Amino acid sequence: MLNDGPHFGRPPVAEVVCGVQFSGAEGWRTPHFGSFWEQIRTEYPEFEDQPPLDRLRLEGAASEFQVSPLPPLRRVFFVQPPGNFLMQLQQNRILHNWRKVSDLDEYPRYKKAYAKFIWSWGKLRHFTASAGLSDPRPEAFELTYINHITKDGAKFPRDVWDFLAFYEQTPKAVVAKDSSAMAMHFGWPLPNEMGILTFDLKHGLRPSDESEVLLIEFNARGKVKQDATNMDEWFDTAHRAIVNTFDALTTESAHDLWGKQS
């Protein structure tokens, strides 16, 4: 059993996404987006059209090939001003995001982000029932944390090991002292065969001010078991796995910077 993990007073979290991929809403058509929006418009008065996401690829799942007479329906963002909270909806998937819009935005903590997602899922199920559509059946869950790590004077990938604790230094080539690019990907099974946790690292420039930024993304995803694994249990396990792994992979000096508390 994973423990709750530490609390960070100033975490470098830039975005948190909770989501569920589902089946059973094959009758969903374009007008349903507008009808659903009317039910949540007070809370989410703005919208954006986006291309649909591909189906989640899960470990051990057979590849799927589907032929449909219709093109994929759009994905719609329903946005709560000033833009920190948004709901993403497409025919087979619903996600809820918290995202940092300005440097002054404070991460509202996982419980609030998850509660917003559960509210969205409940609204979708209520709408499908009222619209005469089948009840959406969860197929897979996902939880994503995106961290933007910055520090005055830091240059990446040179200074990555000021923040990450599992290597001492970046490999050096004979043609140059410092590397100019790096990317990493790791994956681990979640406890009790509940899915997979992945870690992705890359670096770049932040669009808002072109400062150096290290991007660390954790993504947990898992197929819903036939015994109807409880949604709360899955997300709680995924959240604990992400927090504890983030803590284990980062340095004590970084923990001081982010205000780590036991």
Side-chain angles (χ1 to χ4, degrees), residues 71-133:
L73 293 178
R74 65 173 61 85
R75 173 172 46 126
V76 177
F77 283 8
F78 301 108
V79 184
Q80 187 179 88
N84 301 105
F85 290 108
L86 70 93
M87 186 190 310
Q88 303 183 50
L89 180 63
Q90 63 185 57
Q91 186 180 22
N92 64 351
R93 206 154 162 194
I94 185 169
L95 306 100
H96 197 283
N97 303 46
W98 174 84
R99 57 186 180 179
K100 180 175 282 191
V101 176
S102 76
D103 288 341
L104 297 178
D105 292 338
E106 292 188 9
Y107 171 45
R109 302 299 161 182
Y110 166 74
K111 287 185 178 180
K112 183 172 182 179
Y114 181 64
K116 289 273 193 179
F117 163 69
I118 290 297
W119 181 89
S120 303
W121 175 242
K123 284 290 186 180
L124 176 64
R125 295 188 65 190
H126 180 269
F127 172 76
T128 55
S130 64
L133 298 169

Side-chain angles (χ1 to χ4, degrees), residues 179-198:
S179 60
S180 59
M182 72 179 300
M184 288 186 177
H185 174 83
F186 295 98
W188 307 273
L190 288 171
N192 304 318
E193 299 182 345
M194 296 177 76
I196 187 171
L197 172 65
T198 59

